[in-house]
């Protein structure tokens, strides 16, 4: 008896098709890998796409230097397990070289500086396709993305110049110096990601699950007390049971109060959530209504 194809099967097949298409069509692709849940699913799909062979491209992390240590340890373990070469593009190196200025102040974050570091790495390694873990359900600007997102010679994105993608036909045409951002998870949702993590037994950084952490409230979010981020006047540090819905720069990534300590509990929690993970827990996405779109036009993920 043939097994019925499930929605997760269909999403997996589509993503693997996209990953293989890029490997066949482009000379120098790279997979962005932050250690977050979406990039972890993307790495897992890449492993499945080329099994029993090795992934035929490198992974790259654009590292702000302000990361949760649990995520960095996980990142290194996973790329080693997958047998993938890891390139670390360092924002700290960009600051040292004078390419960007390190922001200061109580709400300073290096998150936006990643754009210059990413574009410099793309140029240095001559990458012509860059896999990203963006999903269309995350926020408004990412909902405008095609699967193959054209970037000009300056690494910039124009939503009006994107190409039609009918019948799963993807146009990767580009000139020297231009590149394509590729989003194999475009049609996935946060809930689908977690259900796939459960089905495939994909490990994640421990901070995705409920744990005790010292946090303080700022702008309606619980931010973790770290070596990079301290409370300001009137901000009281408390120990709470929290987890992170998304992983990024520790200075702008908020936690949520949660007792969800297992994949099953997280799925139940996500199923009734009314805010996207970025909208609820990423301070950098609250800059303005068009904050993410403005950054994407500059070359952000």
């Amino acid at each position: 008896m043939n097994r019925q194809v499930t929605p997760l099967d269909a999403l997996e097949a589509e993503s693997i098709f996209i990953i293989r298409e890029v490997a066949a069509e482009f000379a120098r692709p790279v997979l962005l890998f932050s250690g977050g849940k979406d990039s972890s699913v993307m790495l897992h799909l890449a492993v499945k796409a080329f099994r029993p062979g090795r992934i035929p491209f490198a992974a790259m992390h654009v590292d702000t230097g302000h990361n949760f240590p649990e995520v960095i340890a996980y990142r290194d373990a996973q790329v080693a397990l997958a047998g993938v070469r890891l390139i670390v593009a360092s924002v700290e190196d960009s600051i040292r070289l004078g390419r960007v200025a390190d922001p200061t102040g109580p709400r300073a974050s290096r998150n936006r500086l990643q754009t210059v570091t990413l574009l410099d790495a793309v140029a240095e390694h001559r990458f012509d396709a860059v896999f990203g873990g963006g999903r269309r359900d995350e926020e408004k600007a990412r909902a405008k993305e095609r699967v193959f997102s054209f970037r000009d010679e300056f690494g910039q994105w124009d939503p009006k110049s994107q190409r039609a993608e009918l019948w799963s036909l993807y146009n990767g045409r580009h000139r020297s110096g231009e590149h394509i951002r590729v989003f194999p998870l475009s049609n996935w949702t946060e809930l689908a990601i977690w259900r796939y993590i459960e089905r495939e037994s994909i490990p994640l950084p421990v901070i995705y699950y409920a744990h005790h952490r010292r946090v303080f409230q700022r702008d309606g979010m619980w931010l973790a007390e770290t070596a990079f981020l301290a409370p300001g006047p009137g901000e009281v540090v408390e120990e709470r049971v929290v987890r992170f819905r998304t992983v990024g720069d520790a200075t702008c990534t908020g936690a949520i109060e949660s007792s969800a300590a297992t994949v099953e509990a997280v799925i139940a929690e996500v199923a009734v959530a009314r805010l996207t993970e970025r909208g609820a827990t990423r301070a950098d996405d609250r800059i303005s209504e068009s904050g993410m779109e403005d950054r994407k036009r500059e070359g952000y993920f």
Side-chain angles (χ1 to χ4, degrees):
M1 181 182 295
N2 292 330
R3 184 173 70 88
Q4 183 178 1
V5 176
T6 68
L8 282 182
D9 292 332
L11 288 170
E12 178 189 69
E14 178 187 54
S15 297
I16 287 176
F17 169 77
I18 292 164
I19 291 168
R20 288 173 174 166
E21 185 77 4
V22 170
E25 188 173 343
F26 293 86
R28 297 180 67 85
V30 69
L31 185 147
L32 295 179
F33 184 68
S34 65
K37 67 183 186 307
D38 299 311
S39 63
S40 296
V41 166
M42 192 165 58
L43 180 64
H44 180 83
L45 290 164
V47 170
K48 293 188 80 168
F50 301 106
R51 185 180 291 162
R54 296 167 67 96
I55 297 175
F57 41 77
M60 180 167 71
H61 181 207
V62 182
D63 182 1
T64 66
H66 290 170
N67 297 287
F68 294 100
E70 301 96 326
V71 177
I72 296 301
Y74 168 86
R75 177 202 72 184
D76 294 343
Q78 289 305 113
V79 296
L81 187 63
V84 180
R85 180 170 68 100
L86 176 66
I87 298 167
V88 177
S90 170
V91 171
E92 288 192 351
D93 286 348
S94 298
I95 294 169
R96 179 176 52 81
L97 294 171
R99 294 285 294 142
V100 292
D102 201 2
T104 58
R107 285 171 171 75
S109 172
R110 292 179 175 180
N111 207 50
R112 191 161 187 162
L113 306 186
Q114 292 177 93
T115 299
V116 170
T117 305
L118 170 64
L119 295 179
D120 285 351
V122 169
E124 177 187 352
H125 297 281
R126 304 191 313 280
F127 293 131
D128 53 2
V130 180
F131 288 105
R135 308 186 325 266
R136 290 184 178 131
D137 71 322
E138 289 183 86
E139 53 78 50
K140 295 177 181 178
R142 285 184 168 167
K144 296 180 181 180
E145 285 281 19
R146 300 286 197 265
V147 174
F148 275 32
S149 178
F150 172 75
R151 303 300 171 109
D152 65 19
E153 64 271 25
F154 303 106
Q156 296 179 335
W157 173 71
D158 180 359
K160 295 180 181 178
S161 69
Q162 300 305 301
R163 299 156 180 174
E165 293 181 338
L166 305 175
W167 308 293
S168 297
L169 297 175
Y170 303 112
N171 184 351
R173 187 183 71 253
H174 63 284
R175 300 184 182 91
S176 177
E178 300 170 342
H179 72 278
I180 303 292
R181 302 281 172 87
V182 183
F183 299 102
L185 305 181
S186 289
N187 293 323
W188 296 60
T189 63
E190 183 185 9
L191 185 57
I193 289 289
W194 276 104
R195 285 176 171 161
Y196 190 72
I197 288 166
E198 178 186 39
R199 190 184 87 173
E200 301 288 305
S201 300
I202 300 172
L204 290 180
V206 295
I207 67 174
Y208 273 110
Y209 303 104
H211 61 285
H212 289 269
R213 186 172 290 265
R214 288 172 57 82
V215 295
F216 60 92
Q217 275 217 322
R218 176 179 293 173
D219 302 329
M221 292 190 304
W222 289 108
L223 294 176
E225 181 187 39
T226 68
F228 325 116
L229 185 65
E235 295 174 337
V236 180
V237 175
E238 309 173 39
E239 185 168 294
R240 296 259 175 168
V241 178
V242 300
R243 74 176 190 87
F244 291 84
R245 287 179 69 186
T246 183
V247 164
D249 188 292
T251 62
C252 63
T253 303
I256 61 168
E257 291 191 84
S258 171
S259 61
T262 65
V263 176
E264 295 81 2
V266 171
I267 289 172
E269 189 175 86
V270 170
V272 297
R274 291 293 174 264
L275 288 175
T276 66
E277 66 267 44
R278 292 193 69 92
T281 62
R282 290 295 288 268
D284 53 321
D285 288 343
R286 300 181 176 190
I287 297 170
S288 70
E289 183 72 15
S290 61
M292 173 62 85
E293 182 161 335
D294 292 341
R295 281 178 290 153
K296 286 179 71 65
R297 287 178 183 274
E298 296 169 358
Y300 191 73
F301 315 130

